[in-house]
Amino acid sequence: MLDKNFVRENLDLVKERLATRGGRYSLDELVSVDTEWKKAVLRSEELRRRRNEASEAIGKLKRNGVDTSEQQATVKQISSEIKSLDETVQAIEERLNSILHGIPNLPDSSVPVGADENENQEIRRWGTAPEFDFDPSDHVDLGTNLGILDTDRAVKIAGARFSLLRGEGALMERALINFMLDVHTLDHGYQEVLTPFVANSTSLFGTGNLPKFAQDLFKIEGTDYYLIPTAEVSVTNIYQGDTLDLEELPKKFVAYTPCFRSEAGSYGKDVRGLIRQHQFNKVELVKFTAPTGSYEELESLTRDAEDILQRLGLHYRVITLCTGDMGFSSAKTYDIEVWLPSQNRFREISSCSNFEAFQARRANIRFKNETGKRQYLHTLNGSGLAVGRTWLAILENYQQKDGSIVIPEALRPYMGGRKSLKK
RNA sequence: GGAGAGGUACCGAAGAGGUCGUACCGGGCCCGACUCGAAAUCGGGUUACCGCCUAAUCCGCGGUACGUGGGUUCGAAUCCCACCCUCUCCGCCA
């Protein structure tokens, strides 16, 4: 959520920056509705002031035994005016909020301007793509042949876009989770948290998933519970409504959670394999920082995520999403994309964003600055990493001619010392 | 699921229709005094949000907020209704 007073005072700048995202936003309407709101609130406050004065006077007169029925009638009249005016104010507020809540974050000035994913900018690459002297298989064939992936039977349990890992496949998923958590807690200084896997609508509003993206979520019928689409939701909301001290910033958390996404509108995309699932595991990094220095924190967060790929020896690149491809709440996003031999291309495995104060404003998360004044802090997060996609990237990148998989050295201690996956 | 208790400032906790939400009292925190220094003691200070004003996130003025939303009333933390949450006991349960 943007600060409406900032929008009002910097209307041209805001328009210009939002235009780079594409889409239309009712900024002029926002300002005019806000003006209307200010006027109505001012009138309401003036009426309240009069009522407060009159009521106090009545109290004093009554104590002296004076008849006050005339004054009471006046105040009653004022009260009914206030009541009807407040209904107006509320209606205006609802209009104001529906506009404001639908406006995405302003892209940071360092974000490349572009219409869609084709204009994202690659900023670095690491490693090299493996070379095969045979035709590499994709992870579905590899996993199925090894007996560690059973996509057909997952359908019986739940349906399409769910998966079942077996034996050493399940072990490797669990090993990856533990490996990632260990690296981030022991070497990168994040505190591990294990959060609820459901969140209420207030929390989802805080991170920007609601109200605009309800169709992407699984809701538990008859409740206000939603399955979390990412640990970003549960971890960011740890401090919903709180004020932190400057000295305790930045706060860094890492959380493993399953993630649940309805994937509405993705029909036909990535239907084969583990790329796009209704449920997947993810290790998420979340930071709460002071506004000063939050972009340095984005750089280091991204490096922390990259470190996992480097330790696993997986070829990847980092791209800066252009203005037209960024998510709703983000001011700047780096995607990390891992090399997939079967597709002969890079695929997203992590997305690292600085939301600046956009989420903090929605979730009311503040800190006390140098002068003791309360101020919205900045939130950041990134996958560190998407576990399912890491799992399939290992299968594809480390496959051997005989269909076995070499386990990356860094992962072996987490897999009972195994060096490979074989039939 | 059943029964009960409770949600008031940073924390504990009082207030039970108007003269104190600059909210009894206690603690914390900040400043000062005492001290070589500290502890103890003593004195002073310390809610948030919104609007108006403004160069200003200072000051000043006004408004709102006692879990949330309604209602009663000239006036609600206080009375009424609904809902949410927390705690205790019982039942069930990994």
Side-chain angles (χ1 to χ4, degrees):
Chain A
M1 181 164 70
L2 301 180
D3 176 353
K4 66 186 169 81
N5 288 324
F6 178 84
V7 175
R8 167 185 281 284
E9 286 154 26
N10 302 276
L11 191 57
D12 290 337
L13 173 79
V14 171
K15 277 182 180 173
E16 191 183 308
R17 300 263 292 282
L18 281 180
T20 65
R21 276 181 169 270
R24 294 173 170 215
Y25 307 102
S26 317
L27 293 167
D28 290 315
E29 191 186 354
L30 179 76
V31 171
S32 71
V33 174
D34 185 44
T35 304
E36 217 182 308
W37 177 83
K38 280 176 196 277
K39 277 185 194 159
V41 165
L42 198 62
R43 271 192 294 153
S44 170
E45 288 184 354
E46 170 61 16
L47 286 172
R48 278 170 207 277
R49 188 188 62 74
R50 281 171 51 202
R51 179 174 70 181
N52 291 346
E53 279 175 7
S55 288
E56 204 181 327
I58 288 168
K60 281 180 185 150
L61 291 170
K62 279 204 150 180
R63 245 169 286 120
N64 297 328
V66 182
D67 175 69
T68 57
S69 44
E70 198 178 308
Q71 289 92 325
Q72 286 184 28
T74 309
V75 176
K76 191 169 187 152
Q77 174 60 32
I78 295 175
S79 279
S80 84
E81 278 179 54
I82 291 173
K83 198 178 168 185
S84 77
L85 188 54
D86 281 354
E87 282 167 15
T88 309
V89 170
Q90 207 171 351
I92 297 171
E93 254 169 24
E94 277 168 25
R95 261 207 296 157
L96 190 66
N97 285 336
S98 76
I99 298 170
L100 195 58
H101 296 164
I103 298 175
N105 204 356
L106 296 182
D108 181 62
S109 57
S110 68
V111 174
V113 174
D116 55 38
E117 58 185 23
N118 297 315
E119 297 183 71
N120 292 340
Q121 282 182 2
E122 179 175 321
I123 53 174
R124 60 179 170 268
R125 274 181 195 220
W126 185 90
T128 51
E131 286 178 26
F132 301 100
D133 54 4
F134 56 93
D135 256 1
S137 304
D138 81 353
H139 66 278
V140 180
D141 289 341
L142 289 165
T144 305
N145 289 336
L146 287 166
I148 60 173
L149 173 65
D150 189 344
T151 48
D152 295 343
R153 287 193 174 82
V155 172
K156 295 200 290 187
I157 304 168
R161 294 199 187 283
F162 288 93
S163 61
L164 173 65
L165 299 183
R166 288 177 177 264
E168 290 177 328
L171 170 63
M172 189 163 81
E173 181 87 0
R174 179 159 55 90
L176 282 168
I177 293 166
N178 285 331
F179 166 66
M180 293 178 193
L181 287 171
D182 279 354
V183 171
H184 294 310
T185 54
L186 301 174
D187 295 343
H188 300 155
Y190 291 76
Q191 183 185 76
E192 183 176 350
V193 286
L194 185 59
T195 71
F197 299 161
V198 298
N200 59 34
S201 55
T202 305
S203 294
L204 285 150
F205 174 79
T207 41
N209 302 84
L210 288 178
K212 212 172 177 180
F213 305 100
Q215 76 283 354
D216 297 338
L217 304 168
F218 284 117
K219 184 173 190 191
I220 300 173
E221 203 176 346
T223 70
D224 188 41
Y225 294 143
Y226 295 78
L227 301 182
I228 54 170
T230 158
E232 165 189 352
V233 176
S234 43
V235 179
T236 303
N237 279 285
I238 288 173
Y239 293 116
Q240 173 198 126
D242 286 348
T243 302
L244 304 178
D245 287 325
L246 180 60
E247 303 80 60
E248 53 185 333
L249 300 178
K251 276 191 174 285
K252 300 160 64 174
F253 295 101
V254 58
Y256 152 72
T257 71
C259 303
F260 302 91
R261 299 186 183 177
S262 74
E263 294 297 341
S266 68
Y267 309 110
K269 271 188 198 167
D270 306 316
V271 283
R272 180 175 163 85
L274 300 177
I275 297 272
R276 191 175 303 277
Q277 299 272 289
H278 284 311
Q279 177 189 326
F280 60 95
N281 293 311
K282 185 154 58 72
V283 169
E284 184 77 359
L285 306 172
V286 176
K287 289 186 182 180
F288 299 84
T289 79
T292 311
S294 70
Y295 279 93
E296 284 75 23
E297 295 291 344
L298 175 62
E299 296 302 322
S300 66
L301 186 148
T302 307
R303 298 283 183 182
D304 291 337
E306 286 174 60
D307 188 31
I308 299 291
L309 287 169
Q310 293 185 9
R311 293 186 192 217
L312 293 173
L314 292 167
H315 178 45
Y316 69 86
R317 66 173 185 170
V318 180
I319 59 175
T320 306
L321 296 192
C322 73
T323 51
D325 199 32
M326 276 201 308
F328 180 76
S329 301
S330 178
K332 183 170 189 175
T333 298
Y334 293 122
D335 271 8
I336 304 173
E337 298 183 329
V338 70
W339 179 256
L340 291 188
S342 71
Q343 301 188 2
N344 203 37
R345 58 170 286 206
F346 291 100
R347 291 296 303 246
E348 179 187 341
I349 197 165
S350 172
S351 190
C352 303
S353 302
N354 185 355
F355 303 94
E356 297 192 4
F358 191 83
Q359 293 181 326
R361 204 170 280 118
R362 290 171 85 101
N364 193 24
I365 308 171
R366 295 174 294 171
F367 75 106
K368 271 190 191 155
N369 67 18
E370 302 80 351
T371 64
K373 197 80 191 159
R374 278 160 213 259
Q375 192 182 334
Y376 292 113
L377 49 70
H378 283 191
T379 59
L380 299 84
N381 68 55
S383 345
L385 306 162
V387 180
R389 289 187 179 180
T390 308
W391 189 95
L392 72 88
I394 289 173
L395 258 65
E396 296 201 0
N397 283 281
Y398 284 96
Q399 61 180 298
Q400 308 297 305
K401 198 165 190 173
D402 62 359
S404 67
I405 311 295
V406 171
I407 298 171
E409 264 180 58
L411 203 57
R412 291 179 190 172
Y414 294 86
M415 295 187 67
R418 285 172 179 75
K419 294 190 170 77
S420 68
L421 301 177
K422 293 183 177 136
K423 255 195 178 168

